[in-house]
Amino acid sequence: MTIITSKDNPSVKLYSKLSSSKKERNNYKMYVLEGYRLICEALSESNVVSQIFFTEDAYNKYYNDLSQVDLKEVKVLIISNELGIKISETEKTQGIFAICKMSSKLDLKNMVKPDGKYVVLYQLQDPGNLGMIIRTADAFGIDGVILSESCELYNPKVIRSTMGSVFHIKIAHGCAIDEVFEVFNEKSIRSYAAVVDSGAVSLKKCSFENGGAVLIGNEGNGLPDDIADMCTQRITIHMSGNANSLNAAMATGIIMWEMTSNSEENI
């Protein structure tokens, strides 16, 4: 197989476009992956991976393992080790990259069930936080993550930070917040505004036995008051130390643990 050495190769150019531009990802309805584990996870999903790039070293290391999966619908290319370093976004690349097709957007009404447990991220902006929240939600068995006015799901940093959980959990993105509340009202889902407010109800006093949705706001500003007012109840994580707030991903992780541990204790 010919080894590609030029960044002007059409497939390599496409990869670079998708890696660097949200506009191009939206235009092509494609996104990129980097790393062996992520690509294995993607290959376990049908009709997701379009092309795989191996550096010369990575081909010798990984191809035999990946060839156990049906790759007949996947275009496989080998690029030089030097080109792999150029297109990589990681400090020490594994030399394996992929172009993937975006999944169809989930219909919020079909996704949400009356007794489900959901996290709604409103105006969350940090890709690392989003990826970690998706990964944690997958670990705790949350029924779905809903994104409203938040950073892009298919940002490469988000995808990497999920460590493959993006392929395991239901994620509705690009949702208008009014639509989110309409669906919650229709499905009788109680909604909880996570706020930094000593007057709010302590998270430990909340019961999620019958499901519910927790709204998490922007890293710096939290949830706007008008959005918090739309929720059934305001809740907070009471802290006894000197810090008066937590990183958004950390706070969401604590909330998701409480959401799922409550139901386990009540079984």
Side-chain angles (χ1 to χ4, degrees):
M1 190 179 291
T2 303
I3 298 172
I4 298 168
T5 59
S6 173
K7 61 181 175 52
D8 293 324
N9 172 273
S11 291
V12 174
K13 285 178 72 173
L14 175 60
Y15 182 94
S16 297
K17 283 182 182 180
L18 298 174
S19 177
S20 61
S21 170
K22 176 181 177 180
K23 179 180 177 181
E24 297 293 353
R25 289 191 286 272
N26 288 334
N27 284 342
Y28 285 96
K29 301 299 180 189
M30 291 180 169
Y31 63 101
V32 299
L33 301 179
E34 179 178 349
Y36 176 74
R37 177 177 173 178
L38 261 180
I39 292 171
C40 285
E41 296 282 1
L43 285 169
S44 69
E45 302 292 315
S46 61
N47 200 34
V48 169
V49 179
S50 172
Q51 300 185 48
I52 295 180
F53 304 78
F54 295 91
T55 62
E56 300 163 85
D57 289 346
Y59 184 84
N60 295 328
K61 185 174 182 179
Y62 298 118
Y63 181 75
N64 285 339
D65 289 339
L66 289 185
S67 64
Q68 307 302 314
V69 182
D70 186 0
L71 296 177
K72 65 182 179 182
E73 300 297 327
V74 179
K75 184 177 181 180
V76 176
L77 304 98
I78 301 178
I79 60 177
S80 66
N81 293 329
E82 293 75 18
L83 186 54
I85 292 171
K86 287 180 181 177
I87 68 172
S88 172
E89 288 198 336
T90 60
E91 187 175 338
K92 292 184 178 179
T93 181
Q94 292 179 305
I96 178 170
F97 313 85
I99 293 176
C100 298
K101 303 169 190 174
M102 290 184 183
S103 302
S104 299
K105 286 185 69 172
L106 287 177
D107 181 83
L108 199 58
K109 285 186 179 181
N110 291 332
M111 171 181 154
V112 173
K113 54 187 181 180
D115 58 348
K117 297 177 182 179
Y118 303 94
V119 170
V120 181
L121 305 176
Y122 182 72
Q123 296 184 345
L124 194 83
Q125 295 303 310
D126 185 83
N129 280 338
L130 175 53
M132 187 177 294
I133 289 169
I134 291 170
R135 183 182 178 190
T136 308
D138 181 28
F140 287 142
I142 296 295
D143 292 296
V145 175
I146 300 168
L147 310 182
S148 180
E149 298 183 31
S150 291
C151 58
E152 181 206 7
L153 175 61
Y154 293 107
N155 178 300
K157 185 175 181 180
V158 172
I159 299 294
R160 284 199 305 274
S161 298
T162 71
M163 299 290 286
S165 288
V166 69
F167 301 113
H168 303 154
I169 188 169
K170 291 180 179 178
I171 305 169
H173 58 102
C175 302
I177 196 64
D178 288 342
E179 177 195 4
V180 174
F181 279 105
E182 284 175 12
V183 172
F184 287 166
N185 290 335
E186 182 181 318
K187 304 285 179 117
S188 299
I189 296 274
R190 289 178 63 84
S191 55
Y192 301 87
V195 295
V196 179
D197 181 355
S198 59
V201 175
S202 172
L203 174 64
K204 287 186 172 292
K205 294 182 179 179
C206 294
S207 172
F208 298 96
E209 184 178 2
N210 297 317
V214 176
L215 278 76
I216 307 293
N218 175 268
E219 290 88 346
N221 302 317
L223 276 177
D225 283 338
D226 61 330
I227 302 299
D229 288 343
M230 295 170 71
C231 295
T232 311
Q233 192 172 55
R234 293 184 184 223
I235 62 172
T236 194
I237 300 171
H238 285 154
M239 291 169 278
S240 56
N242 294 321
N244 61 6
S245 64
L246 294 169
N247 165 275
M250 174 65 74
T252 310
I254 292 170
I255 290 169
M256 290 189 287
W257 185 86
E258 287 287 350
M259 290 176 78
T260 53
S261 64
N262 279 357
S263 61
E264 290 169 3
E265 290 168 3
N266 290 322
I267 291 175

